[in-house]
Amino acid sequence: MHTMNNQAMLEQIAITDHHFSQAPEAFFRAWKRGVQLLSPTLFGLGTKAHVDQAEDKWKLCPNLEVIDQAIGVMSSGERVFLAAMVSFYNANIGGVLLKRVGVHGLSDLGGLDLEHRQVIADLVLNYTGW
């Protein structure tokens, strides 16, 4: 029985290692989907062409000054989604933004539609740091 536990533990380690070896690319794909759902103007150089050509998350960092100006005129769902995305980039700034748009906990993400929830879920599952 001890061998079974060791075998199961080794299999779990292998699954985890495989997941996190793929995580940076999966995070980037989810991040890019999120950028496309919001607006390329809020990220990187601010153009669709730049988003299309971006090869990593560093090319699509949130433009915090533009976001600060734009977030006030967005729908409540867009504001929540954008603030959640920014929180992956910078926890402090994202936390302030989440509070600003009325998010007090994860349950407040429940107002997002399935497509936006899937992006956030994929970001959570594949986040390994910015």
Side-chain angles (χ1 to χ4, degrees):
M1 187 151 164
H2 189 260
T3 304
M4 293 289 284
N5 287 337
N6 285 342
Q7 184 62 32
M9 183 174 53
L10 291 173
E11 288 173 8
Q12 188 58 49
I13 290 170
I15 290 168
T16 300
D17 285 348
H18 177 73
H19 171 82
F20 284 107
S21 72
Q22 305 296 313
E25 180 59 29
F27 180 90
F28 175 64
R29 286 192 311 270
W31 184 262
K32 197 170 184 177
R33 285 193 335 262
V35 169
Q36 291 165 335
L37 285 171
L38 284 162
S39 171
T41 61
L42 303 172
F43 299 88
L45 296 179
T47 67
K48 182 182 179 326
H50 182 74
V51 172
D52 293 342
Q53 295 169 1
E55 295 179 7
D56 63 47
K57 65 186 177 191
W58 293 102
K59 302 290 185 191
L60 297 178
C61 292
N63 185 329
L64 300 174
E65 290 178 23
V66 173
I67 288 169
D68 188 54
Q69 298 293 319
I71 202 164
V73 297
M74 296 177 150
S75 72
S76 62
E78 288 174 319
R79 287 192 302 258
V80 168
F81 183 66
L82 178 56
M85 284 193 58
V86 169
S87 70
F88 286 98
Y89 174 71
N90 182 297
N92 292 331
I93 294 170
V96 168
L97 212 51
L98 285 163
K99 287 179 186 173
R100 179 175 160 190
V101 302
V103 173
H104 303 287
L106 290 174
S107 64
D108 290 328
L109 299 178
L112 297 176
D113 66 20
L114 181 60
E115 187 174 27
H116 290 83
R117 286 180 185 206
Q118 187 64 58
V119 169
I120 297 299
D122 289 344
L123 292 173
V124 168
L125 284 172
N126 294 293
Y127 183 73
T128 59
W130 198 275

